[in-house]
Amino acid sequence: MSKNKILTAIRNNKPSGAPLPDIPLFREADTAPVEAFSAMVETGGGRIVQVSGLSELNTMLPKLFPGAERIASLIPEVDSNVALEQVQSPAELETVDVAVIRGQLGVAENGAVWVTEEDCGHRVLPFITQHLILLLNEDDIVSDMHQAYRQIPIDQSGFGLFIAGPSKTADIEQSLVIGAQGARSLTIFLGTRA
Amino acid sequence: MKEHAQKAAEFIRNESRTDWHDEALWFVRSKRDKASHSIGEWEQLRELASQVKDNVLSNLDGYLEQFEANARRNGVQVHWAADAEEHNRIVYGILEKHQARNLVKSKSMLTEECHLNEYLIKRGIEVVDTDLGERIIQLKEEPPSHIVMPAIHLKKEEVGELFHEKLHTEKGASDPKYLTEAARQHLRQKFLAAGAAITGVNFAIAETGGVVVCTNEGNADMGVHLAPVQIHCMGIEKILPKAEHLGIFTRLLARSATGQPITIYTSHYHRPKAGGEMHIVIVDNGRTAQLGRAAFRNSLKCIRCGACMNTCPIYRRSGGHSYGYTIPGPIGSILTPGIDLKKYSGLPFASTLCGSCSDVCPVKIDIHEQLYRWRQIIAEEGHLPTDKRQSMKWAGRVLSKPAWYNVIGKLTRWAMMRLPRPFLYNRLNEWGKDRELPEPPKESFGEWYRKREKS
């Protein structure tokens, strides 16, 4: 059995015990996490749209994405014309133009947003869609990744991820190109709970 | 195998291209500096990361067992592979079971190390690397030259030519945006047709039994979520004890690699998708042996960010292919001697020992000190090339006897002043190949000092 072979080799070869260090909480809270978050999202190639209420989203969407035909929305207030519950195979989502998903938590230091498969309907949706919209509450922005991981039970969902911008690559001569294999754009609708 | 120095000499023959390569990597290094300097606690993070990895290495067996138990509880199938052959056999077995003939892969240095692609292609599987850089070099039938930017050695015109031939893009087109779009369309078809997807693993969390994969393109997720079967291949050293440690490592990884504050996608896989299967293959392939080498085990802390390559004056001016191994640069040069001391005996010498690699390493591996230690072992085991061995032997003799040293010094100064050029610049003078010898002083320091004392 290779498992036993590997574990035995480790036991014979490993160094003596080194303690696990305590990870401090580096900062309590930023003075302006929303501004820092927004700046980081824009640095990462995303765009921030301030919204005052969910009711205005339906009128905003066609203005932001004029040509979009297939809208897959996980937010009741935004009309969806893709019946996600009827999708048999994830490949059917290939033709989605815009996906609207609720983000759970934002991170000011890098502009990342935590999303789980329950938020996405289908795991592949935030990647396969041409354009991605994440809805985020300003109150749900934390300072850094330490705070983020304290709040997120990473194994509660079978799949969860941080999204910090549109899909990108710099694999050809270090030239930054937005829109590699995943979504071509990321828009974050930022609002307050009230 | 050709020595690193020989292959580097071929690389630098094209001077403008060498400069271009050098500058491209230095640009990435500069971005890394900017990103790391923006974090006040950067040095503290590096120290913590190093300590967490010390703890991981000293409890690796326990963490791996904990990881396996939790992963199984999550419905994940866990496999163990002692070496590359077993790893490849396991992966092929999973594909066979599902009759999966089309495989999409995201970046995994481990599967490169195991030569998985060749193994599967030989057995009739279509293997498509989906990271743009990796797809480029796969189409070009070359190994990666960098672990984060696999096609950093290629110019856009060369990629344009390649895509024209393989993907039927317009002839002469070399705009990166246009070429990336062509690859996007091409790869979407591959994702949709795939029967299985393979990813590497950035971090495996013992406490939760899940794995974390970081990409900018989203290619790992396009593969994993579209294909019915997902396989994650990891070296045993990828373990982190708890989810909270991801806070440290996700802050360090992308900033060190490309200067980004975080990768665009940081995906946490814990359970298979509805109706799908999730496999994790845990691979040793020489890692436990490295764990047993006290002076070198720190190399197992590596998180594959590539910062040591971007900063290395040798790597930047010799290119990744000159190292002749999947992982080039300073980190490759301390990992390879443990794999095959004789074959890779040249690599620890591909360094000026300037220490820049150790300075930028996010987990504080003492890379340049390990390079120096490998040199000692290579010399002791008799793997030095003859010229180096002889010159070291004679230098040792001369330097250990003051009388000899004085005589040889005098002779050398005389020779350098009097002898015609061919006597000084010939194949015995490695230093003088591309350099002028320094102006010889009229007297030695000893002579000057004695004269000064007298007067």
Side-chain angles (χ1 to χ4, degrees):
Chain A
M1 274 295 286
S2 290
K3 177 184 171 181
N4 289 333
K5 199 170 133 191
I6 294 168
L7 291 176
T8 307
I10 293 172
R11 281 177 200 123
N12 291 335
N13 290 349
K14 69 179 182 178
S16 57
L20 200 53
D22 288 327
I23 310 297
L25 197 58
F26 286 90
R27 54 190 63 70
E28 281 309 315
D30 269 343
T31 42
V34 179
E35 286 74 10
F37 174 82
S38 304
M40 286 319 292
V41 167
E42 273 155 20
T43 311
R47 100 180 123 169
I48 296 278
V49 176
Q50 291 283 346
V51 294
S52 47
L54 292 173
S55 52
E56 65 181 294
L57 296 184
N58 264 329
T59 46
M60 276 173 103
L61 219 134
K63 284 180 201 152
L64 290 167
F65 300 96
E69 285 173 14
R70 300 243 299 156
I71 316 277
S73 169
L74 277 295
I75 320 274
E77 291 83 357
V78 178
D79 297 339
S80 183
N81 57 17
V82 178
L84 286 169
E85 61 286 349
Q86 281 165 33
V87 168
Q88 300 287 314
S89 148
E92 292 167 36
L93 298 168
E94 222 282 298
T95 53
V96 170
D97 293 308
V98 180
V100 189
I101 293 168
R102 190 182 287 281
Q104 298 190 3
L105 175 141
V107 187
E109 72 159 318
N110 54 26
V113 178
W114 177 256
V115 172
T116 69
E117 66 175 315
E118 289 78 13
D119 304 317
C120 299
H122 277 270
R123 291 185 183 189
V124 81
L125 186 63
F127 308 95
I128 203 168
T129 180
Q130 296 295 324
H131 302 277
L132 176 62
I133 296 175
L134 293 175
L135 212 66
L136 188 69
N137 203 302
E138 285 185 356
D139 302 333
D140 296 331
I141 295 174
V142 298
S143 295
D144 58 26
M145 294 303 285
H146 309 293
Q147 293 184 4
Y149 278 112
R150 280 192 188 206
Q151 293 198 19
I152 298 165
I154 58 165
D155 55 342
Q156 200 174 59
S157 293
F159 171 66
L161 85 157
F162 285 103
I163 300 176
S167 161
K168 64 163 114 169
T169 182
D171 274 344
I172 301 175
E173 275 202 19
Q174 281 298 294
S175 304
L176 178 70
V177 179
I178 304 279
Q181 328 309 344
R184 295 177 190 274
S185 76
L186 171 68
T187 306
I188 294 182
F189 283 168
L190 209 52
T192 48
R193 218 177 290 274
Chain B
M1 191 181 105
K2 267 195 205 167
E3 279 283 335
H4 174 271
Q6 270 174 288
K7 286 192 270 187
E10 285 162 27
F11 184 85
I12 58 171
R13 209 169 286 152
N14 186 337
E15 207 169 308
S16 64
R17 200 182 170 109
T18 309
D19 289 345
W20 167 79
H21 188 264
D22 179 22
E23 280 157 26
L25 286 150
W26 187 253
F27 173 64
V28 185
R29 153 82 210 251
S30 310
K31 285 198 291 182
R32 172 261 170 215
D33 287 351
K34 214 173 142 215
S36 65
H37 295 163
S38 72
I39 302 293
E41 61 270 23
W42 183 258
E43 289 305 315
Q44 204 183 341
L45 290 176
R46 290 178 69 217
E47 184 56 39
L48 284 167
S50 185
Q51 288 176 8
V52 170
K53 287 284 187 179
D54 276 330
N55 172 266
V56 167
L57 295 181
S58 68
N59 299 291
L60 191 53
D61 50 333
Y63 285 137
L64 282 168
E65 286 186 292
Q66 186 192 1
F67 173 75
E68 184 193 28
N70 287 329
R72 284 192 194 283
R73 205 167 300 139
N74 291 338
V76 178
Q77 300 180 44
V78 181
H79 313 261
W80 299 73
D83 53 27
E85 211 283 323
E86 189 174 11
H87 162 266
N88 295 346
R89 207 168 58 229
I90 290 168
V91 171
Y92 180 64
I94 299 168
L95 300 181
E96 275 287 272
K97 194 184 110 191
H98 292 274
Q99 298 286 307
R101 309 308 293 170
N102 303 293
L103 176 71
V104 286
K105 266 181 71 206
S106 68
K107 185 125 40 78
S108 151
M109 298 322 292
L110 174 66
T111 59
E112 286 280 347
E113 172 189 321
C114 295
H115 301 288
L116 177 69
N117 286 17
E118 293 91 313
Y119 183 95
L120 295 179
I121 289 164
K122 223 181 276 173
R123 285 158 182 79
I125 310 274
E126 186 203 48
V127 183
V128 176
D129 283 320
T130 58
D131 171 81
L132 176 60
E134 284 217 310
R135 186 62 180 150
I136 292 169
I137 56 159
Q138 187 183 32
L139 291 172
K140 211 162 185 318
E141 296 178 36
E142 281 183 3
S145 73
H146 189 288
I147 60 174
V148 175
M149 302 164 284
I152 187 82
H153 60 292
L154 293 175
K155 296 220 171 194
K156 60 184 182 203
E157 291 77 15
E158 291 166 300
V159 179
E161 189 57 36
L162 177 74
F163 276 19
H164 171 63
E165 187 195 324
K166 306 277 183 179
L167 307 181
H168 312 296
T169 53
E170 278 171 52
K171 183 148 184 68
S174 66
D175 174 35
K177 205 169 159 51
Y178 168 78
L179 297 174
T180 302
E181 180 63 28
R184 176 186 172 96
Q185 300 304 335
H186 159 72
L187 287 169
R188 283 236 157 186
Q189 299 314 310
K190 300 294 180 189
F191 286 126
L192 291 168
I198 290 189
T199 79
V201 168
N202 289 97
F203 311 106
I205 314 302
E207 173 190 58
T208 66
V211 295
V212 176
V213 176
C214 306
T215 74
N216 278 323
E217 298 181 10
N219 56 312
D221 287 282
M222 281 293 280
V224 162
H225 305 316
L226 284 171
V229 182
Q230 68 191 84
I231 306 170
H232 308 280
C233 301
M234 58 176 269
I236 54 172
E237 80 282 20
K238 293 290 170 191
I239 289 277
L240 291 181
K242 297 175 182 173
E244 69 165 332
H245 298 123
L246 286 169
I248 303 278
F249 285 88
T250 54
R251 297 187 77 193
L252 287 167
L253 178 62
R255 286 186 175 98
S256 297
T258 58
Q260 293 170 261
I262 189 169
T263 48
I264 297 296
Y265 304 106
T266 306
S267 296
H268 302 57
Y269 307 103
H270 277 88
R271 286 185 282 283
K273 64 180 87 64
E277 254 182 41
M278 175 168 165
H279 297 261
I280 294 174
V281 189
I282 301 172
V283 186
D284 179 349
N285 204 34
R287 286 163 177 76
T288 52
Q290 188 79 336
L291 187 65
R293 299 181 185 108
F296 301 106
R297 66 165 62 102
N298 268 346
S299 60
L300 293 170
K301 293 179 177 178
C302 177
I303 57 172
R304 305 289 190 260
C305 70
C308 60
M309 293 163 208
N310 305 339
T311 199
C312 179
I314 305 296
Y315 175 89
R316 284 188 276 120
R317 292 181 186 81
S318 63
H321 288 158
S322 63
Y323 292 79
Y325 183 68
T326 315
I327 299 172
I331 183 68
S333 301
I334 59 171
L335 289 171
T336 44
I339 297 165
D340 187 335
L341 189 68
K342 189 166 186 289
K343 184 176 175 190
Y344 298 112
S345 61
L347 294 188
F349 293 89
S351 165
T352 63
L353 300 184
C354 71
S356 184
C357 46
S358 307
D359 286 344
V360 297
C361 177
V363 289
K364 293 184 113 173
I365 302 171
D366 50 343
I367 304 176
H368 72 293
E369 288 165 25
Q370 293 195 28
L371 287 167
Y372 179 69
R373 277 183 231 128
W374 275 121
R375 291 183 183 186
Q376 316 299 305
I377 293 173
I378 287 159
E380 281 161 22
E381 303 281 320
H383 296 311
L384 284 185
T386 317
D387 52 349
K388 207 168 268 171
R389 194 169 61 234
Q390 289 301 331
S391 54
M392 287 298 148
K393 198 166 92 185
W394 282 101
R397 281 184 193 171
V398 172
L399 291 170
S400 62
K401 293 189 184 71
W404 281 42
Y405 179 78
N406 285 333
V407 172
I408 297 280
K410 213 168 244 169
L411 271 172
T412 309
R413 284 194 298 282
W414 178 86
M416 283 172 73
M417 280 186 270
R418 305 288 157 80
L419 288 184
R421 201 172 163 86
F423 281 90
L424 300 170
Y425 294 89
N426 52 46
R427 62 178 189 85
L428 289 175
N429 181 359
E430 288 276 341
W431 166 271
K433 264 184 190 165
D434 295 299
R435 286 170 286 215
E436 284 298 305
L437 292 167
E439 192 73 22
K442 294 198 171 52
E443 54 194 357
S444 73
F445 175 78
E447 288 166 342
W448 171 84
Y449 187 77
R450 278 191 295 278
K451 228 190 320 183
R452 186 180 167 276
E453 287 292 284
K454 264 185 223 163
S455 63

